[in-house]
Amino acid sequence: MAELWQLTLHEARAGLDAGSFSAVELAHACFERIGQVEERVKAYVTLTENHALQQAEAADKALAEGRGGPMSGIPVQVKDLICTKGIPTTCSSRMLENFVPVYDATVWEKLAAQGAVLLGKGNMDEFAMGSSCENSAFYPTHNPWDLGRVPGGSSGGAAAAVAADEAILALGSDTGGSIRQPASLCGVAGLKPTYGRVSRYGLIAFASSLDQIGPVGKDVTDCAIALNAIAGYDPRDSTSLNLPATDFTAGLTGDIKGMRLGIPSEYFVEGMEPGVRDAVEGAVKELESLGASVEPVSLPTTEYALACYYIIAPSECSANLARYDGVKFGYSYQDTPDMWQAMETTRQQGFGSEVKRRIMLGAYALSAGYYDAYYLKAQQVRTLIRQDFARVFEQVDALVTPTSPVVAFPIGEKTADPVQMYLIDVCTLPINIAGLPAMSVPCGFSEGLPVGMQLIGPQLAEERLLNIAYTYEQATEWHKARPGI
Ligand code: GLN
């Protein structure tokens, strides 16, 4: 008999609806599991047990009265840059260590209104800048498959918690790969929706034209259910898309016959681990045997994506993070009568080194005299990258690539060399530049560590991506593998 904390969201849903267990029992089980492993994994910044049990009681009441919905009683971890009213939201930064939001982000407001139970807030790279969770100001999160390795980032807490069964579902955010890459490194499923599909209201901004919230789940069905719960128009986010509601589980047919899949050669990059290549190539063969047709395609602007991202993302970050000056909220250095000195010291002490590096890069790229050479140029390249994708999507329905060129690496291995760290995201960040949906699903192991396959679709093709991933999942067992922690 499986423990309750081992259940997927859809299994938990079935059990709750059948009355096999209560939401309170499920929440207790998750905290029991957290008690067993969290000391080693460190996937959470804050645990909200009392709050969770109250929400679980309310969910049980709603279920008993026939008012239950798809999320009633489901225990969720929320990344610590998504505002939760009355509950600290730190961005894993000293700057916001004591910040308690006075309002809920739309995504959490929606989940809570549908009966979800907040287990706690997920650890991350500070302000979502990083690929390993080592940039958290508090502590790194450890990969449940090998505690000496990183879980990926920046939503490392989300992926590690789901992989270690410390949460049934987690919400992450993805600016350049931060949902998909940790999902890949931890052997779970992660979906970055189309830009504008999910409201960013209450998401503490890193790079506003790239940021998007999405689910990290134990399988594809769970991601579809979660997307149903969080997607939709929000007048409080001016970039939110006003579309009719979609049921993302309805398209999970398990049939991909005739689907045209493109394999972009540029994503099988130099320096990619052979074990990763083998696993992804094996997955492509599997998709072919399930009835999809596979053809090589080319996205020639891919080689400029990393440089383009590392101009645009830092530029936007330098503007977004200007608000942390110690005046309105967050950390404030007060030990001087001089206002400028106070602001300077606040930022010096409040931000970690990667965040400062990004702010400096961005301020430089946006400054007079450099704007045309860097920022403007990057925006022009961004258009070319978008056009590249638009062109291949006239030819194929979706693209298949590795999510990350490497498996989880040892903690500390890449911290001294930022460029090595940036290179981990070569396969994921072009998708944010183009605003496309993409997801990562487990497709094998290399040296005992999970490998993820990335599926990329044209704008608003989430249903198609979910069905390809689901069909693959039905035919394979990778998603069932769990670390023996
Ligand atoms: N690793 C990338 C960065 O550091 C992407 C992070 C993210 O998606 N939030 O910018």
Side-chain angles (χ1 to χ4, degrees), residues 9-217:
L9 195 170
H10 55 93
E11 289 166 350
R13 174 80 279 127
L16 287 165
D17 290 347
S20 313
F21 48 84
S22 69
V24 168
E25 284 168 331
L26 180 59
H28 271 304
C30 288
F31 282 105
E32 186 193 320
R33 176 63 175 168
I34 290 168
Q36 290 170 3
V37 300
E38 176 58 9
E39 210 178 308
R40 288 171 285 155
V41 179
K42 308 292 255 178
Y44 285 86
V45 175
T46 305
L47 289 166
T48 50
E49 189 159 0
N50 291 337
H51 184 79
L53 293 173
Q54 280 169 17
Q55 284 183 315
E57 271 170 33
D60 279 332
K61 191 157 175 285
L63 285 164
E65 292 168 1
R67 292 184 287 110
M71 292 304 296
S72 296
I74 301 297
V76 184
Q77 186 209 66
V78 172
K79 187 175 178 181
D80 213 15
L81 79 179
I82 294 173
C83 287
T84 42
K85 187 176 173 179
I87 294 162
T89 299
T90 69
C91 274
S92 289
S93 178
R94 293 278 168 227
M95 191 61 96
L96 292 177
E97 198 169 2
N98 299 311
F99 173 61
V100 181
V102 293
Y103 67 95
D104 279 325
T106 298
V107 286
W108 176 241
E109 189 180 79
K110 280 181 165 234
L111 284 182
Q114 293 169 63
V117 170
L118 183 69
L119 296 169
K121 304 297 295 285
N123 197 21
M124 53 184 280
D125 287 296
E126 183 176 7
F127 281 99
M129 298 168 198
S131 309
S132 67
C133 233
E134 292 164 292
N135 294 338
S136 166
F138 308 132
Y139 35 78
T141 296
H142 299 254
N143 192 313
W145 290 92
D146 177 345
L147 295 168
R149 291 174 187 263
V150 304
S154 65
S155 315
V162 172
D165 289 319
E166 289 188 83
I168 303 291
L169 176 82
L171 286 189
S173 69
D174 191 313
T175 305
S178 278
I179 289 173
R180 293 159 285 157
Q181 184 260 17
S184 170
L185 269 49
C186 290
V188 293
L191 170 69
K192 183 205 93 75
T194 302
Y195 184 77
R197 176 73 90 175
V198 176
S199 169
R200 292 182 295 110
Y201 178 77
L203 167 72
I204 297 179
F206 163 12
S208 309
S209 77
L210 303 162
D211 297 340
Q212 189 63 192
I213 296 171
V216 176

Side-chain angles (χ1 to χ4, degrees), residues 242-445:
N242 196 347
L243 301 165
T246 306
D247 177 2
F248 294 98
T249 60
L252 304 179
T253 62
D255 180 6
I256 55 164
K257 284 188 200 70
M259 189 80 73
R260 293 164 309 167
L261 302 177
I263 316 297
S265 53
E266 292 85 356
Y267 282 66
F268 291 77
V269 293
E270 205 186 310
M272 182 175 171
E273 288 173 6
V276 171
R277 178 186 294 269
D278 291 348
V280 176
E281 285 176 353
V284 170
K285 287 210 179 73
E286 183 69 43
L287 289 165
E288 223 175 343
S289 75
L290 291 165
S293 68
V294 172
E295 56 195 278
V297 294
S298 177
L299 291 159
T301 56
T302 304
E303 64 171 304
Y304 307 113
L306 190 83
C308 174
Y309 176 89
Y310 276 98
I311 300 287
I312 293 174
S315 294
E316 293 184 16
C317 127
S318 74
N320 276 327
L321 273 60
R323 72 192 67 172
Y324 305 107
D325 54 10
V327 177
K328 279 210 173 120
F329 45 69
Y331 174 67
S332 184
Y333 179 81
Q334 292 293 338
D335 219 6
T336 167
D338 182 81
M339 183 186 76
W340 297 112
Q341 181 71 46
M343 286 186 185
E344 228 175 270
T345 312
T346 293
R347 289 169 72 79
Q348 229 164 52
Q349 297 180 351
F351 290 135
S353 55
E354 184 58 33
V355 174
K356 287 181 198 161
R357 182 178 300 119
R358 304 283 177 107
I359 293 172
M360 286 190 285
L361 283 170
Y364 182 82
L366 290 176
S367 59
Y370 294 106
Y371 180 94
D372 288 349
Y374 296 111
Y375 185 72
L376 188 66
K377 196 53 98 192
Q379 291 293 13
Q380 290 165 341
V381 172
R382 183 172 195 173
T383 301
L384 296 178
I385 293 170
R386 297 181 87 107
Q387 289 172 346
D388 239 9
F389 279 110
R391 188 180 43 74
V392 298
F393 284 128
E394 285 172 9
Q395 195 186 333
V396 295
D397 299 310
L399 301 169
V400 186
T401 76
T403 306
S404 158
V406 298
V407 292
F409 45 90
I411 292 178
E413 188 187 85
K414 296 186 198 292
T415 39
D417 186 348
V419 176
Q420 285 307 312
M421 196 68 95
Y422 298 171
L423 280 167
I424 309 286
D425 299 310
V426 280
C427 299
T428 49
L429 46 84
I431 288 79
N432 301 70
I433 292 176
L436 304 174
M439 88 175 288
S440 180
V441 285
C443 72
F445 287 85

